Each structure stands twice: as structure tokens, then as C-alpha cells.
């Protein structure tokens, strides 16, 4: 299987990845909006969730949204990836509303 990201040291908050191409550009952009597009399994979701996690840690008491075209698939895809591939239990981020279908994630810094 060809992947466009590889896990690297998780020494910072959340699992850290090394991104390539447009996924890497997400972390370097200065525009107010950015759209990630491309075929399945090229790392768009992991890149966006990593970026969202980074922003939540950088800006205490901030609020962020995860939006998906079809809300019915949000928990079984994106939220599951966020919990399993981005968050680390040692970071102290608490899923609110239940472990299986949380409504939000509460960060130690109030985000």
C-alpha cells in the first residue's frame, strides 16, 4: 500500500507525522481557507486532524469544528481516526459525550 505520510516521533502533543506534498502545505499555508482534495488514502484526513490538534494546543480556550459532507459518517470515519491516530492518552484530552460517539474533545488548556 502506498501512503503519503509516515509516523515519526510522538514527542510533542498528539501523534506526530511527516507529511508530503499538499498535505505538508497545510502546515505552511497563510491563507484563511484551504481545501485538501485528492483520491482516497492519500492522508488528507490525517493531515487535517493533525493540523486541528496543533491549533487546539496553540490557542488555549479556542473552539474548532470538524465538518464532513455527510454527518452520518463523521463518527465512524473522522472521529475514529482522530481518537486512534492523532490523540495520545498521555496528552489528557477528554472525549465528552461518551468514548464511542463523543460530541467534543476537551483539552487541558480549555480548547
Amino acid at each position: 500500500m502506498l501512503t503519503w505520510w509516515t509516523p515519526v516521533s510522538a514527542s510533542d502533543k498528539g501523534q506526530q507525522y511527516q507529511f508530503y506534498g499538499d498535505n505538508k502545505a497545510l502546515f505552511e499555508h497563510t491563507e484563511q481557507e484551504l481545501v485538501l482534495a485528492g483520491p482516497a488514502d492519500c492522508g488528507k484526513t490525517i493531515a487535517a486532524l493533525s493540523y486541528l490538534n496543533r491549533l487546539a494546543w496553540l490557542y488555549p480556550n479556542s473552539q474548532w469544528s470538524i465538518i464532513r459532507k455527510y454527518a452520518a459518517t463523521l463518527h465512524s470515519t473522522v472521529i475514529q481516526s482522530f481518537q486512534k491516530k492523532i490523540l495520545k492518552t498521555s496528552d489528557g484530552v477528554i472525549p465528552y459525550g461518551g468514548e464511542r460517539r463523543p460530541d467534543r474533545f476537551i483539552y487541558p488548556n480549555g480548547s
Side-chain angles (χ1 to χ4, degrees):
M1 172 191 243
L2 179 65
T3 60
W4 297 97
W5 52 269
T6 55
V8 295
S9 172
S11 61
D12 202 6
K13 301 292 185 185
Q15 176 66 38
Q16 302 297 301
Y17 294 95
Q18 178 66 47
F19 295 100
Y20 305 98
D22 289 340
N23 291 334
K24 183 178 180 181
L26 172 65
F27 293 86
E28 300 167 352
H29 86 283
T30 57
E31 298 83 14
Q32 290 183 352
E33 296 179 8
L34 181 74
V35 175
L36 294 175
D41 294 327
C42 62
K44 298 179 303 290
T45 300
I46 299 300
L49 292 174
S50 292
Y51 188 65
L52 180 74
N53 186 54
R54 180 183 291 184
L55 292 174
W57 282 108
L58 285 174
Y59 299 100
N61 300 310
S62 60
Q63 295 181 9
W64 304 90
S65 295
I66 299 173
I67 300 168
R68 186 171 172 92
K69 185 175 181 179
Y70 299 107
T73 63
L74 184 66
H75 285 92
S76 63
T77 56
V78 179
I79 300 301
Q80 194 172 83
S81 293
F82 191 61
Q83 289 179 292
K84 292 181 178 181
K85 297 180 180 180
I86 303 300
L87 297 180
K88 294 188 307 185
T89 55
S90 61
D91 288 341
V93 178
I94 301 168
Y96 179 83
E99 287 285 329
R100 301 194 81 189
R101 294 183 62 86
D103 293 330
R104 65 193 69 166
F105 294 91
I106 302 172
Y107 283 69
N109 68 358
S111 290

